Amino acid sequence: MTSTAVTRYHPLARTLHWLLALGIVGNFALGLYMSDLPFSPARLQYFSWHKWAGVGVLAFSAMRLLTRLMSPPPALPQAIEVAMPGWQKRAHHATHVALYALFFAVPLTGWAYSSAAGFPIVLFGLLPLPDFVPVSEALADVLKETHELTAFAMAALVLLHVAGALKHQVIDRDGLLSRMGFGR
């Protein structure tokens, strides 16, 4: 099958997909890097950047969800639909649903953790965002763990998503990856 037989996602959906991909991967890497650093001004700056990027991921996620609701994804090409085993279709849909849930859960648990720990988020050092949970050391401990677990769950699903896309590109050679591309 050639890539010309594949219906593409809406251009805004494709743009938001790749912005979210960059934001999620970059922020996950920053989170891993900064978590083991000793207390220092640099570590505090990294935490600020991590929070700002998390707010960006949350905003792009909201835009992506709205875009998806207003312009649903194109149907799988008939040849792929017929060739794909049922378990792959279920995995495809379950992975997307779980990713969308985590697009919101990860930054919101991070924001709640920051609030509970008593460290407000001041976007770009200018705009203080509201705290939506009270300061509580016990709650902060639970939210920190929840934020980390959801972030690692999202990283695992992102890897699964990438593996599926690469399988379609390299093994199946069915042009499915072109649905999210920008070229011809």
Side-chain angles (χ1 to χ4, degrees):
M1 174 176 295
T2 63
S3 61
T4 57
V6 176
T7 306
R8 299 173 78 180
Y9 279 77
H10 186 278
L12 181 57
R14 293 192 315 258
T15 301
L16 290 169
H17 174 273
W18 291 109
L19 286 172
L20 270 171
L22 289 171
I24 288 167
V25 170
N27 213 23
F28 184 77
L30 178 59
L32 286 177
Y33 175 72
M34 70 183 197
S35 64
D36 289 332
L37 292 177
F39 184 80
S40 68
R43 184 174 194 233
L44 293 175
Q45 183 62 61
Y46 295 146
F47 266 88
S48 290
W49 292 348
H50 182 74
K51 291 176 188 183
W52 301 346
V55 171
V57 165
L58 187 59
F60 285 138
S61 297
M63 289 189 295
R64 179 69 178 101
L65 181 60
L66 287 173
T67 301
R68 188 176 183 105
L69 294 173
M70 294 185 323
S71 178
L76 287 172
Q78 187 64 29
I80 295 172
E81 183 74 35
V82 170
M84 190 182 291
W87 71 268
Q88 283 185 7
K89 291 177 195 171
R90 288 188 297 277
H92 164 82
H93 292 294
T95 300
H96 280 92
V97 168
L99 278 170
Y100 271 87
L102 290 168
F103 289 165
F104 292 93
V106 174
L108 287 173
T109 57
W111 188 347
Y113 162 58
S114 189
S115 297
F119 297 108
I121 298 174
V122 182
L123 198 55
F124 306 118
L126 301 171
L127 178 65
L129 300 182
D131 291 328
F132 61 93
V133 298
V135 173
S136 164
E137 186 175 336
L139 181 58
D141 290 341
V142 169
L143 289 168
K144 179 181 182 184
E145 184 76 18
T146 303
H147 180 62
E148 290 173 357
L149 288 173
T150 56
F152 277 101
M154 184 159 55
L157 285 177
V158 165
L159 289 174
L160 182 63
H161 180 70
V162 169
L166 290 174
K167 179 223 177 248
H168 281 281
Q169 185 68 22
V170 176
I171 296 171
D172 298 341
R173 297 182 181 193
D174 56 19
L176 194 65
L177 190 61
S178 67
R179 291 167 28 123
M180 269 299 168
F182 289 103
R184 290 184 166 208

